[in-house]
Amino acid sequence: MSKIGFIGLGIMGRPMAGHLLDAGHELLTVKRGALDAGLAEKGMRELDTPAAVAAEAEVIISIVPDTPDVELVLFGEGGVIEGLKPGTLVIDMSSIAPIATQEFAKRITEAGGEYVDAPVSGGEGGAINAALTIMVGATEEGFARAKPVLEVMGKTITHIGGHGAGQTCKVANQIVVALTIEAVAEGLLFASKAGADVAKVRESLLGGLAQSKILDVHGERMIKRTFDPGFKIKLHQKDLNLALEGARSLKLSLPGTANAQQLFQACAAHGGEEWDHAGILRALEQLADHQIGS
């Protein structure tokens, strides 16, 4: 079993850390307010800085909101790099910019560590059930070292390629997820406005070619109007910004992605940054002057 520094105990991080503790790993984290009681009961310890965590840990895992947050954890004052020991495995499971990831990997490697980018998909449910899809960018050695740890938290672990490749895959994932959520919202809104029972429409669609996990999970959220976040709109906006910025640099047009981003922006304009991303339905309902089920 390993001594693991785990930084980022949010919606996703809390259950992921819990699985590692249940598997027998020793976990350290950075003090950020009151530690989750369940994690504390399982033996998670708090230290003052990421550097202090790195000085004790064999493996560092970070899962924080955005690229600047990862940079601060790794390279800010009291950051991981200040306490990094030779051979330490640094696994970033955040969803951040691929180009920045390559630079972070270079700096950690030069400092004697082994860097792995391993963003996840599956939302809060996937984290709770240890069923996440994990997309890995790493050297062959880094992937081999990280895989046993990642298998405690995820179900599908794929080595995509070198540093930054995991993040590139995650951006692609977020494009597909956003457009599929929008498609589900539009389909259910159309059915409702036409007078059909949307619950029965969803049930029927789940048996045909339109079947998807998003239709299953997020379609139900839309019908029940449960928009408490499993994954917040503001975080999906951040991911689509990465996609659109990357597209500009590649001279690539992503019209569907841009449209989904505008609908998320409409949600944000109405105070919806903290809604679950299934809340994209609300922007479409405003345009239609119709609420599904009404």
Side-chain angles (χ1 to χ4, degrees):
M1 295 296 103
S2 300
K3 185 179 286 189
I4 298 173
F6 198 105
I7 301 171
L9 298 173
I11 289 174
M12 302 290 287
R14 281 194 302 272
M16 292 164 68
H19 294 313
L20 291 167
L21 287 162
D22 290 340
H25 295 288
E26 181 181 349
L27 260 64
L28 314 168
T29 193
V30 178
K31 289 180 182 177
R32 291 285 187 274
L35 180 61
D36 178 84
L39 298 178
E41 287 173 7
K42 292 178 181 180
M44 184 175 239
R45 292 195 290 121
E46 294 179 294
L47 299 175
D48 289 331
T49 64
V53 170
E56 288 197 35
E58 305 158 66
V59 179
I60 301 290
I61 295 174
S62 57
I63 180 162
V64 293
D66 204 348
T67 307
D69 302 301
V70 176
E71 186 171 22
L72 184 64
V73 165
L74 295 179
F75 309 113
E77 184 178 352
V80 164
I81 201 164
E82 293 181 14
L84 192 73
K85 303 187 300 293
T88 299
L89 181 64
V90 178
I91 306 173
D92 179 44
M93 304 186 77
S94 318
S95 296
I96 66 170
I99 298 300
T101 292
Q102 292 172 359
E103 178 59 29
F104 296 166
K106 180 181 177 183
R107 292 174 69 180
I108 291 294
T109 301
E110 289 174 348
E114 180 76 56
Y115 192 90
V116 173
D117 52 286
V120 303
S121 180
E124 183 182 13
I128 291 170
N129 296 315
L132 293 167
T133 292
I134 305 176
M135 312 155 215
V136 183
T139 64
E140 292 289 347
E141 179 184 353
F143 178 67
R145 290 182 61 194
K147 190 176 181 184
V149 175
L150 299 177
E151 286 175 334
V152 176
M153 300 174 283
K155 188 174 181 181
T156 303
I157 295 116
T158 306
H159 187 195
I160 305 298
H163 295 132
Q167 296 296 351
T168 297
C169 184
K170 179 59 187 288
V171 171
N173 178 84
Q174 295 303 81
I175 292 170
V176 173
V177 169
L179 270 62
T180 307
I181 290 176
E182 181 185 348
V184 169
E186 289 191 12
L188 295 181
L189 182 60
F190 170 80
S192 177
K193 189 81 183 257
D197 182 326
V198 289
K200 290 182 178 178
V201 168
R202 171 180 164 274
E203 180 182 348
S204 178
L205 294 178
L206 284 170
L209 190 60
Q211 191 279 333
S212 71
K213 188 172 182 179
I214 289 171
L215 175 62
D216 184 10
V217 175
H218 291 80
E220 184 177 37
R221 279 181 176 270
M222 293 172 189
I223 291 167
K224 292 184 175 179
R225 309 196 71 76
T226 53
F227 298 117
D228 291 338
F231 187 73
K232 296 177 182 179
I233 279 176
K234 69 179 182 181
L235 295 179
H236 211 145
Q237 284 185 285
K238 176 261 297 182
D239 293 338
L240 295 191
N241 280 337
L242 295 176
L244 294 169
E245 288 165 8
R248 277 193 294 274
S249 68
L250 294 167
K251 295 182 172 57
L252 177 66
S253 176
L254 299 177
T257 303
N259 188 62
Q261 182 71 306
Q262 287 300 307
L263 290 169
F264 282 140
Q265 184 59 31
C267 292
H270 287 84
E273 286 188 335
E274 301 289 325
W275 298 343
D276 184 84
H277 50 177
I280 199 171
L281 171 69
R282 289 179 166 181
L284 292 165
E285 287 176 333
Q286 276 218 323
L287 291 171
D289 192 24
H290 177 83
Q291 181 174 306
I292 66 169
S294 62

